Amino acid sequence: MGEKTVIILHSGDMDKVYSALIIANGALAMGMEASIYFTFWGLMRLKKGELEKGPLSKMNMLGLGRQMIKQRMNKANVASLERLMNDFKELGGKIIACEMTMEIMGLSKEELRTEWIDEWGAVGSYIQEARDANVTLFI
């Protein structure tokens, strides 16, 4: 079995979603397997039309900080979250959506970008992924 990176994405903050996708894409580019377990506020970013809508984790300033960071990212030609997600899937990345979070938050599968989701699971799904991973992260 090859090397593997497994990330729990608990946060829905824009910068943290960026971090998860950049690290996961980096792992895939280095020949590793990579999976992201979306749970709680991270799962909210898988709702249709919501990937790019998370707040900034620090200095959000009612959205002004987020807007300033987005402008700087655009100027630096940083890929959008949509692009990073599509790259992640094209490179073979795996997404697990937390079913317990769906139940708690009142989400249905129809509300989510099901074309990105490889598995619907709970903590056992994450543990199964992480048990033989070389890198595990909680973001």
Side-chain angles (χ1 to χ4, degrees):
M1 181 173 294
E3 294 181 310
K4 183 195 273 187
T5 296
V6 178
I7 300 169
I8 294 176
L9 184 57
H10 181 270
S11 175
D13 294 341
M14 178 192 78
D15 46 315
K16 293 179 182 180
V17 176
Y18 262 105
S19 294
L21 285 168
I22 288 169
I23 292 167
N25 278 323
L28 290 166
M30 294 178 69
M32 298 176 77
E33 294 177 46
S35 60
I36 304 174
Y37 180 74
F38 282 77
T39 189
F40 286 93
W41 293 272
L43 184 65
M44 296 297 135
R45 300 290 68 87
L46 293 182
K47 287 177 69 177
K48 294 174 183 171
E50 296 290 319
L51 183 62
E52 303 274 354
K53 294 194 176 169
L56 196 60
S57 64
K58 303 283 184 203
M59 296 178 55
N60 192 48
M61 300 178 290
L62 301 173
L64 184 59
R66 183 186 183 285
Q67 182 180 354
M68 289 175 5
I69 291 293
K70 287 294 282 181
Q71 287 174 348
R72 293 186 68 107
M73 292 172 85
N74 288 338
K75 188 174 183 179
N77 294 316
V78 175
S80 68
L81 287 172
E82 185 88 17
R83 173 65 190 268
L84 289 172
M85 179 64 84
N86 288 329
D87 288 350
F88 177 73
K89 295 306 298 172
E90 286 175 19
L91 290 169
K94 180 178 180 180
I95 291 183
I96 304 167
C98 180
E99 290 179 309
M100 182 188 77
T101 297
M102 289 175 63
E103 188 173 328
I104 291 169
M105 304 284 194
L107 295 173
S108 67
K109 289 180 180 180
E110 293 75 26
E111 294 176 79
L112 303 177
R113 298 282 302 264
T114 56
E115 69 273 17
W116 288 339
I117 299 168
D118 298 290
E119 185 177 331
W120 309 90
V123 69
S125 299
Y126 163 74
I127 295 296
Q128 188 64 34
E129 282 291 308
R131 72 183 328 157
D132 60 352
N134 306 86
V135 178
T136 56
L137 299 170
F138 181 91
I139 299 176

